[in-house]
Amino acid sequence: MKLVWVHGITCCGNTHSFLNYEYLDSLLKKIDILYHPSLSVEEGNVLDAILEEKIKLDVLIVEGAVSKEDEKIKKLCHLADFVIAVGNCACYGNIPALTKADVGGLQFRFKIKGGLLGEDFVSRGGYPVINLSGCPAHPDWIVGVLLSLYNGEKLELDQWNRPKTFYSSLTHWGCTRNEYFEWKIEMEKLGSKKGCLFYYFGCRGPMTYSSCNRILWNGVNSKTRAGTPCFGCTEFDFPRIGLFETKLFAGLPVELPIGVSKRGYIMLAGIAKTFAPERLKLED
């Protein structure tokens, strides 16, 4: 399978993530990377040959936000069997799109469908742009999708064009702090091993779809496990102001966990806090 990886407006964080894949040597036996900005010496000959349709392109990966005027990336997308937007910038625009109206993702600009390619774009392989959101995307998510395409497996995508295999569960699932969340035991200081980060420190694990606590980073960790809140970087509205702060109104979080009503939250939170086990209240 022939692959090209190109950069838009990017910090290259997803390239760093990809190069951390543990079994990269094994992957490269199945996938022929014709061009990657960090792995290839020259881009001109290969990309020109693809644009002239002298070389067939199976997979195009775009990293970084794109300008609406970027005709080269647009043409490459139309020539590839499958197009993957890797990272939140390529999916939704992210930081580069905050101050520039003509910058966005490949098929979205934040929550508005469209982007560089338009909302009706479908690649030659029959998919819209496959979005692997995140800042960065996990290397296992990138490789998992590549291997699925290589093996001819069907991908199920959600409303944001993300593979359900990696984005159908909340970051909250698998978090080692869930017992503190259930009993409403707040974390007292960042980096602490105990306490939940949702109530005061802005954790968006209960409102964010990702598998960060099921497929661990470097096989061992995640933000919440390390004592840092989930910033919700796989969602269209990332980044936000006040990443380490839970916005409150009348003592209640302005945004509640997905599927939880305000009435239910008030009833359960009060009971949980009152009857929380003493062992959970002992910091570290």
Side-chain angles (χ1 to χ4, degrees):
M1 189 164 72
K2 298 184 185 304
L3 180 150
V4 162
W5 181 310
V6 295
H7 279 164
I9 307 168
T10 178
C11 68
C12 303
N14 291 279
T15 288
H16 286 276
S17 179
F18 175 67
L19 295 178
N20 274 315
Y21 180 62
E22 189 173 0
Y23 306 107
L24 196 58
D25 289 344
S26 175
L27 176 71
L28 295 179
K29 292 177 181 176
K30 299 178 178 177
I31 295 174
D32 182 12
I33 299 180
L34 300 178
Y35 174 72
H36 186 295
S38 299
L39 304 176
S40 306
V41 177
E42 297 181 12
E43 70 167 278
N45 294 338
V46 172
L47 297 188
D48 287 345
I50 293 170
L51 291 169
E52 294 168 4
E53 300 190 51
K54 295 178 180 175
I55 297 177
K56 183 179 181 299
L57 179 59
D58 297 312
V59 178
L60 174 69
I61 293 182
V62 178
E63 176 182 11
V66 291
S67 165
K68 288 182 179 177
E69 308 300 323
D70 199 326
E71 292 298 324
K72 190 172 185 179
I73 287 182
K74 183 185 286 186
K75 186 169 183 181
L76 286 170
C77 290
H78 283 280
L79 291 173
D81 283 350
F82 305 103
V83 179
I84 299 173
V86 66
N88 206 289
C89 292
C91 296
Y92 309 118
N94 203 339
I95 292 174
L98 287 176
T99 56
K100 294 183 178 179
D102 63 339
V103 170
L106 287 182
Q107 207 162 13
F108 285 88
R109 188 174 189 279
F110 298 110
K111 66 177 181 180
I112 306 299
K113 202 164 185 180
L116 174 69
L117 300 173
E119 60 180 316
D120 297 324
F121 171 82
V122 176
S123 70
R124 292 183 173 185
Y127 288 100
V129 174
I130 300 168
N131 282 335
L132 296 178
S133 59
C135 190
H138 195 296
D140 286 9
W141 307 346
I142 302 171
V143 174
V145 167
L146 289 176
L147 291 179
S148 290
L149 296 176
Y150 175 83
N151 292 323
E153 298 168 355
K154 183 178 180 182
L155 295 173
E156 289 191 45
L157 306 180
D158 68 8
Q159 63 173 321
W160 304 105
N161 295 353
R162 303 176 298 188
K164 290 183 178 179
T165 301
F166 303 113
Y167 296 92
S168 64
S169 60
L170 295 172
T171 311
H172 187 60
W173 294 17
C175 178
T176 54
R177 298 172 187 272
N178 278 351
E179 191 175 19
Y180 300 101
F181 174 81
E182 293 163 0
W183 292 105
K184 204 173 184 304
I185 305 293
E186 301 92 345
M187 176 186 269
E188 294 185 359
K189 59 183 179 182
L190 288 173
S192 170
K193 294 179 181 177
K194 295 187 176 182
C196 178
L197 295 127
F198 168 74
Y199 298 105
Y200 291 134
F201 288 108
C203 184
R204 299 190 62 82
M207 295 90 80
T208 299
Y209 285 94
S210 86
S211 47
C212 288
N213 273 310
R214 292 191 296 112
I215 304 173
L216 299 178
W217 291 78
N218 295 319
V220 295
N221 216 341
S222 69
K223 280 194 180 72
T224 58
R225 291 180 186 221
T228 300
C230 164
F231 296 143
C233 71
T234 57
E235 300 299 335
F236 67 83
D237 56 348
F238 178 81
R240 304 169 200 84
I241 296 173
L243 292 177
F244 290 91
E245 174 191 8
T246 299
K247 292 189 172 101
L248 303 175
F249 180 76
L252 296 176
V254 172
E255 288 187 71
L256 296 176
I258 291 176
V260 176
S261 68
K262 184 181 289 186
R263 181 183 180 190
Y265 179 87
I266 292 173
M267 291 179 62
L268 292 177
I271 294 172
K273 196 169 183 63
T274 301
F275 295 101
E278 287 298 319
R279 63 180 173 80
L280 295 178
K281 300 177 182 177
L282 301 176
E283 185 69 13
D284 294 333

